[in-house]
Amino acid sequence: MAITDWPADERPRERLLAHGAAALSDAELLALFLRVGIRGKSAVDLARDLLKHFGGLSALCNASATAFSAIPGMGPAKYAQLQAVLELSRRALGEEMARRDVLDSPSAVRDWLRLKLGQLPHEVFMILLLDAQNRVMACEELFRGTLTQTSVYPREVVKLVLQRNAAAVILAHNHPSGISEPSAADQALTRSLSQALSLVDVRVLDHFIVAGNAPPLSFAERGLALR
């Protein structure tokens, strides 16, 4: 049965308008993005198949163009639209971080990092550069490594911070393994960078570890040493 034949109060679009987007399931939200189904399947049916095929919404959003386009009913145009939606989300969160003290909006930082790093197959180290009001001025990817390690040099971090005249920073990296627990090396790196940056009067406010679609781990909230 086509969605247009469903009772009005069960259609995803009408439910969203009546109750808000949060009231819809992943499949219903994805169906609104797809707009139409394929022969024998409504948009909701197709959305459910996509989520099952990729193993969830996060994996679907981070699928390659080749893998996404291989699904019947999908293609480069739909893939481009999906990537545009994701990038809009990242930019909207980035604007929020640039307008507000990040300590007052930790959820925006977490959501942005999860969208940016959550499904990468390789390890990446990033630094968020903050002004004197703790607003994000820029986000820089400094180092990219293998699945198990990455090389981070305090000298390069200090150099970047001085070039951008940052007052404080937030560190972030991902664990492609999907396990967010900090290793001894992660904690040693955090102390090393904090000590180097303290010499130029720059504070390390936090260090986040991003692992898959789970909420990023915060060193500050965990009570782990930042100095």
Side-chain angles (χ1 to χ4, degrees):
M1 181 185 297
I3 291 177
T4 53
D5 296 327
W6 293 9
D9 60 356
E10 294 182 12
R11 299 172 195 164
R13 182 182 297 124
E14 283 72 12
R15 290 188 60 231
L16 184 149
L17 293 173
H19 306 292
L24 274 62
S25 67
D26 290 349
E28 289 172 322
L29 289 170
L30 184 56
L32 286 177
F33 166 77
L34 295 172
R35 295 183 57 233
V36 296
I38 58 176
R39 184 182 296 275
K41 291 183 180 180
S42 70
V44 173
D45 293 330
L46 180 56
R48 288 174 180 148
D49 287 350
L50 284 168
L51 292 171
K52 181 178 180 180
H53 176 85
F54 286 102
L57 189 59
S58 181
L60 167 63
C61 290
N62 288 279
S64 68
T66 301
F68 184 89
S69 300
I71 304 300
M74 301 299 102
K78 281 292 183 188
Y79 179 80
Q81 291 173 20
L82 179 59
Q83 295 307 307
V85 169
L86 293 172
E87 185 58 27
L88 284 171
S89 298
R90 295 186 190 103
R91 294 187 186 189
L93 289 168
E95 287 183 1
E96 181 178 346
M97 293 191 297
R99 287 194 304 265
R100 300 174 55 187
D101 184 330
V102 296
L103 299 181
D104 292 334
S105 55
S107 61
V109 178
R110 278 190 164 90
D111 290 342
W112 185 86
L113 288 171
R114 186 164 50 187
L115 281 170
K116 191 75 174 177
L117 303 177
Q119 297 298 319
L120 293 179
H122 49 267
E123 192 166 342
V124 167
F125 178 84
M126 296 189 68
I127 184 168
L128 281 66
L129 302 164
L130 313 179
D131 64 14
Q133 287 72 47
N134 293 333
R135 296 174 302 201
V136 175
M137 300 187 298
C139 305
E140 297 283 345
E141 178 185 314
L142 290 183
F143 307 99
R144 179 174 296 199
T146 66
L147 286 174
T148 57
Q149 64 181 17
T150 188
S151 299
V152 180
Y153 301 102
R155 179 177 63 183
E156 295 301 318
V157 175
V158 171
K159 181 179 177 181
L160 173 65
V161 167
L162 292 175
Q163 286 176 341
R164 298 299 184 91
N165 196 30
V169 301
I170 291 176
L171 310 174
H173 76 282
N174 64 313
H175 281 180
S177 65
I179 300 173
S180 61
E181 284 300 310
S183 65
D186 292 335
Q187 297 181 63
L189 171 63
T190 304
R191 291 192 295 269
S192 175
L193 291 176
S194 295
Q195 291 166 6
L197 289 168
S198 69
L199 297 176
V200 292
D201 295 322
V202 173
R203 296 169 298 144
V204 175
L205 299 184
D206 208 340
H207 186 167
F208 287 98
I209 297 178
V210 183
N213 203 39
L217 180 144
S218 161
F219 271 49
E221 291 182 0
R222 181 65 72 87
L224 298 172
L226 292 169
R227 292 185 181 276

